[in-house]
């Protein structure tokens, strides 16, 4: 859905997932229901959403903040494929990082440090998802 069609389920929670064992070597299927809230993502939004998921998996609050800020239309740093004015780091124009964006990144890093320590598996989710 996210990779092949650039669609994001905007109301994804356990109640909207169906799991079924189909007998193929122990692999099952996952189905999604209630697709009334979906979004069609641009390539940049898709890149930043996958990057955000990667950052959550790694417990990296600053990387998550950069993805969110790029998705929101700011720069978020260079070389990211994000939208916005780019280049200055976080959501600021080239050559400057806004205090608000830096404060947001600091808060994300602090929150992740307390509540989201990552999965510790060393798998690059972005590579896995993009190489599907």
């Amino acid at each position: 859905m996210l990779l092949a069609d650039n669609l994001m389920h905007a109301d994804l929670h356990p109640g909207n997932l169906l799991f079924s064992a189909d007998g193929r070597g122990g692999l099952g299927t996952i189905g999604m229901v209630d697709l009334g809230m979906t979004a069609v993502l641009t390539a940049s939004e898709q890149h930043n959403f996958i990057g955000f998921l990667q950052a959550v998996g790694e417990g990296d609050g600053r990387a998550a903040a950069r993805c969110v800020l790029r998705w929101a239309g700011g720069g978020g740093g260079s070389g990211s494929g994000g939208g916005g004015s780019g280049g200055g780091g976080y959501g600021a124009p080239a050559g400057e990082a806004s205090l608000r964006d830096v404060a947001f990144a600091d808060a994300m890093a602090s929150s992740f440090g307390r509540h989201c320590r990552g999965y510790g598996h060393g798998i690059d989710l972005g590579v896995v998802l993009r190489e599907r």
Side-chain angles (χ1 to χ4, degrees):
M1 183 170 178
L2 175 61
L3 300 172
D5 305 313
N6 270 357
L7 293 175
M8 179 190 72
H9 194 303
D11 189 24
L12 195 57
H13 58 78
N16 284 341
L17 295 173
L18 302 174
F19 300 93
S20 173
D22 60 11
R24 295 184 305 196
L27 298 176
T29 56
I30 300 173
M32 290 184 259
V33 297
D34 191 10
L35 298 169
M37 290 179 50
T38 57
V40 178
L41 302 179
T42 66
S44 175
E45 290 169 335
Q46 180 191 41
H47 175 82
N48 287 307
F49 187 66
I50 291 170
F52 176 78
L53 296 175
Q54 176 74 35
V56 169
E58 294 174 351
D60 187 343
R62 290 196 186 282
R66 283 190 299 273
C67 291
V68 169
L69 290 167
R70 283 191 307 256
W71 196 347
S78 60
S80 62
S85 52
Y90 303 110
E96 63 182 77
S98 81
L99 293 177
R100 181 184 62 195
D101 292 351
V102 171
F104 176 73
D106 289 346
M108 288 280 281
S110 176
S111 179
F112 270 52
R114 289 189 312 272
H115 305 292
C116 181
R117 293 183 181 86
Y119 303 123
H121 49 59
I123 296 170
D124 186 338
L125 178 65
V127 170
V128 170
L129 290 175
R130 289 182 191 102
E131 291 182 358
R132 183 182 96 74

